[in-house]
Amino acid sequence: MTAGLKSHLKGLDSGDSSQAIGNVLRESLSSQESFSQKHGSMSADIIIEATNVSKWYGTFRALTDVNLTVRKGERIVICGPSGSGKSTLIRCFNRLEAHQKGEITVNGIRLHNKMRNVTEVRKNVGMVFQHFNLFPHMTVLMNCMAGPMWIKGVPEAQAKKTALKFLERVRIPEQANKYPVQLSGGQQQRVAIARSLCMEPAVMLFDEPTSALDPEMVSEVLDTMTSLASDGMTMVCVTHEMGFARAVADRVIFMDWGQIVEEGNPNDFFTNPQHERTKLFLSQILRH
Amino acid sequence: MLYQDTVESEVLVHRPWFVASIFGVVFAICLMFNLVGTTFGELMRPVIGDPLQSGVYGRFAIAFVIGVTFCLNIVLIGFAPLKAQIGIVWIELLTLFLAFFKAFNLSLPFIWENLPYLITQGVVTTIYVSAVSLVCASVIAIIAAIAKLSSNGFAYAIASFYTSFFRGLPLLIQIYLIYLGLPQLGIVINAVPSGILALSLCVGAYMTEIFRAGIQSIDRGQWEASRSIGFGFGLTMRRIILPQALPVIIPPMGNTFISMLKDSSLVSVLGVWELTFLARTIGQPTFHHMEMLITAAMIYWIMSACLEVAQSRLERHYARSKAR
């Protein structure tokens, strides 16, 4: 993160409204571009690399030869009709699901059936779920502190500091001592984001983070994700929020029948889709 | 609490048809039995004269008075607030029971004389046997529950055989089998340890199923969230799943513990000097059976009540995160 970005963020925290977000967004986008131009060819920048990934549930083929590379700082949006394998794909990235064919490498570690260091992978991959999945028997603060304390052995005081920092980052520090059921859906999802951030992951996976929310809560979660993106966080989002995709994504991927049908930058994707299936999907989803 | 309707209805015990039908039932039951020879008859002497001479009139009058008193009682209780209602009904039932026991003409001095020994020897042994079995059974249950949920064939087979066997045999036979059967293998254990072993294995088998159901009741998403943060199996189980399963597990677990406390009386067949054994051996030679049995019964009840209180405390403790 550049110094300029930091000062902008400070402005953001002290309540300097939407203009700041816009500035940060633009600035970080441009710095991102120059960054990837400089280092784009280096393999060290690749955080997730999936080659020819296939997966079956019994006889049903959920993924068919999927190829995807996620570089550092990239923001990728995956969309597609339900049952198209979007969620399955990103759940393969932290080994919540096992793939049967092809290779997935995350942070330089190859994922396979007999791996012993799956924790090493998961430590570096944050995951946000559709139904939040906060731990209901712990306070919001403890939800955020648990990971660093129990996995990384961070002392309690420091874990608390980190947790409060990220709760502030998602703008709900005042809820720290409440239990998850006492919060609204949008707040819970922001806590879930903070919980993942506390592990300081290299990449964040979002599995339809706004699908279970009331319409008016969608924007608060999307705002959080947008500002996360402007910090340069590497993100892979499965979402139907096309506005978010257009504003934030570096690349939009359209999946159907377990395959990547189309892939491109958001501008081309939305204004000039190539495949019939993509056109149909977009016309369905953008009609309203 | 059940789901409460937001529309208030009239209190049941204040509805005329309900009070009338209760009166009818009580009146009919009292008419069925001839109560003129009992304490009720004596109490009614000013009205009906000599109870034994009163005949049908006396019988009728007694049934009528009991019916009216009963209905008046429930109508009046109906006006009290909830907590007072619960307290009054408890006290009334308790009084009735004490009156019932008083009818046995128990020898109180005999009870007072033997009570200290009953407590220092009998109660202590019962609590010792139950508490140790409780801890052992919980440990066995957690391990067996995880084994039953695992995909390991051996673990599943052993655990399911264990639960099937120990749930399927009467506890009394298990106790005999362990006390008399193990020496056949050259393992001789004393009465108390073999009693504890039998109780632990039997209760553990029941609790295995309780734990399994509790663990299964936790949403898959909790596992996924926990594993995706990087927690291993043990950490997830200990810090995420079991703490959430406990509120589900506690009520049936309280049940099992209470019944185990009383099942510990079966260990008396091995000659362990616990509460039931002492109550029988002290009562028998002096023909004070009833005194000792009722005393033992009361002591068991008090101990169970303590477990009940502990259970409701625990339930309240774990209800914290559910409060809105």
Side-chain angles (χ1 to χ4, degrees), chain B residues 219-270:
Chain B
D219 182 40
R220 228 183 114 78
Q222 292 293 315
W223 280 99
E224 287 176 353
S226 176
R227 297 310 289 272
S228 78
I229 291 175
F231 297 157
F233 175 82
L235 201 57
T236 304
M237 204 62 181
R238 213 169 65 243
R239 308 302 286 265
I240 308 295
I241 303 300
L242 281 181
Q244 289 184 65
L246 273 182
V248 186
I249 288 173
I250 283 169
M253 203 160 81
N255 250 354
T256 316
F257 284 160
I258 287 174
S259 75
M260 183 187 69
L261 180 76
K262 291 169 297 170
D263 285 347
S264 72
S265 63
L266 289 175
V267 186
S268 63
V269 297
L270 306 183

Side-chain angles (χ1 to χ4, degrees), chain A residues 91 122 134-137 181, chain B residues 221-222 224 227 230 239 244 321:
Chain A
R91 286 159 64 88
R122 287 173 178 160
L134 293 175
F135 305 132
H137 59 300
V181 282
Chain B
Q222 292 293 315
E224 287 176 353
R227 297 310 289 272
R239 308 302 286 265
Q244 289 184 65
S321 56

Side-chain angles (χ1 to χ4, degrees), chain B residues 8 29 82 121 131 140 150 159-160 167 186 203 217 235 243 251 254 297 318:
Chain B
E8 279 189 28
I29 289 173
L82 183 71
Q121 174 62 43
I140 294 173
S150 80
S160 56
R167 284 202 302 173
V203 174
S217 73
L235 201 57
Y318 282 108

Side-chain angles (χ1 to χ4, degrees), chain A residues 33-46 69 71:
Chain A
E33 269 158 26
S34 63
F35 183 77
S36 53
Q37 270 163 14
K38 253 186 277 170
H39 303 277
S41 56
M42 283 169 65
S43 65
D45 284 348
I46 295 176
T69 306
R71 290 169 198 283

Side-chain angles (χ1 to χ4, degrees), chain B:
Chain B
M1 276 285 192
L2 293 174
Y3 175 78
Q4 274 196 322
D5 205 337
T6 48
V7 182
E8 279 189 28
S9 54
E10 203 194 340
V11 184
L12 185 65
V13 292
H14 289 169
R15 292 187 183 165
W17 65 265
F18 181 78
V19 177
S21 46
I22 285 290
F23 175 80
V25 170
V26 174
F27 185 69
I29 289 173
C30 292
L31 266 188
M32 263 192 276
F33 301 98
N34 191 3
L35 295 170
V36 287
T38 63
T39 329
F40 291 114
E42 286 305 314
L43 286 173
M44 292 286 285
R45 189 182 277 275
V47 187
I48 58 176
D50 183 5
L52 295 176
Q53 306 297 317
S54 59
V56 177
Y57 168 66
R59 199 169 168 166
F60 192 84
I62 290 170
F64 184 78
V65 169
I66 292 176
V68 170
T69 320
F70 192 89
C71 290
L72 203 63
N73 184 34
I74 60 168
V75 170
L76 286 180
I77 291 173
F79 285 112
L82 183 71
K83 285 248 168 82
Q85 280 181 351
I86 296 169
I88 293 169
V89 173
W90 256 86
I91 289 168
E92 282 183 354
L93 289 175
L94 201 62
T95 319
L96 279 180
F97 260 94
L98 290 180
F100 174 63
F101 287 141
K102 196 170 176 299
F104 293 174
N105 286 324
L106 301 178
S107 154
L108 283 178
F110 185 81
I111 293 179
W112 287 124
E113 189 187 319
N114 288 293
L115 191 60
Y117 185 58
L118 218 52
I119 289 174
T120 52
Q121 174 62 43
V123 173
V124 167
T125 311
T126 295
I127 289 179
Y128 168 69
V129 169
S130 306
V132 175
S133 308
L134 187 149
V135 174
C136 295
S138 306
V139 173
I140 294 173
I142 291 182
I143 296 170
I146 292 172
K148 261 195 129 170
L149 290 170
S150 80
S151 51
N152 183 323
F154 288 102
Y156 180 84
I158 292 170
S160 56
F161 182 85
Y162 159 69
T163 48
S164 172
F165 185 83
F166 282 95
R167 284 202 302 173
L169 260 60
L171 180 55
L172 189 60
I173 295 180
Q174 285 177 34
I175 291 171
Y176 277 129
L177 279 182
I178 286 172
Y179 188 57
L180 304 174
L182 284 185
Q184 308 279 327
L185 304 175
I187 308 164
V188 182
I189 43 177
N190 289 331
V192 173
S194 59
I196 289 175
L197 187 61
L199 271 177
S200 309
L201 287 172
C202 180
V203 174
Y206 285 103
M207 286 202 352
T208 298
E209 293 298 298
I210 296 173
F211 272 91
R212 186 183 58 81
I215 292 169
Q216 274 185 320
S217 73
I218 303 306
D219 182 40
R220 228 183 114 78
Q222 292 293 315
W223 280 99
E224 287 176 353
S226 176
R227 297 310 289 272
S228 78
I229 291 175
F231 297 157
F233 175 82
L235 201 57
T236 304
M237 204 62 181
R238 213 169 65 243
R239 308 302 286 265
I240 308 295
I241 303 300
L242 281 181
Q244 289 184 65
L246 273 182
V248 186
I249 288 173
I250 283 169
M253 203 160 81
N255 250 354
T256 316
F257 284 160
I258 287 174
S259 75
M260 183 187 69
L261 180 76
K262 291 169 297 170
D263 285 347
S264 72
S265 63
L266 289 175
V267 186
S268 63
V269 297
L270 306 183
V272 177
W273 285 29
E274 49 74 67
L275 193 50
T276 309
F277 182 84
L278 283 183
R280 271 189 310 168
T281 46
I282 295 173
Q284 242 153 16
T286 47
F287 294 105
H288 283 109
H289 289 292
M290 264 303 169
E291 278 84 350
M292 284 296 101
L293 286 183
I294 289 175
T295 312
M298 288 295 132
I299 294 173
Y300 274 119
W301 191 11
I302 291 168
M303 290 196 289
S304 305
C306 291
L307 278 180
E308 270 172 36
V309 171
Q311 180 195 329
S312 69
R313 281 272 166 83
L314 274 175
E315 271 181 53
R316 231 177 305 154
H317 174 78
Y318 282 108
R320 272 177 324 174
S321 56
K322 292 218 174 71
R324 273 172 186 275

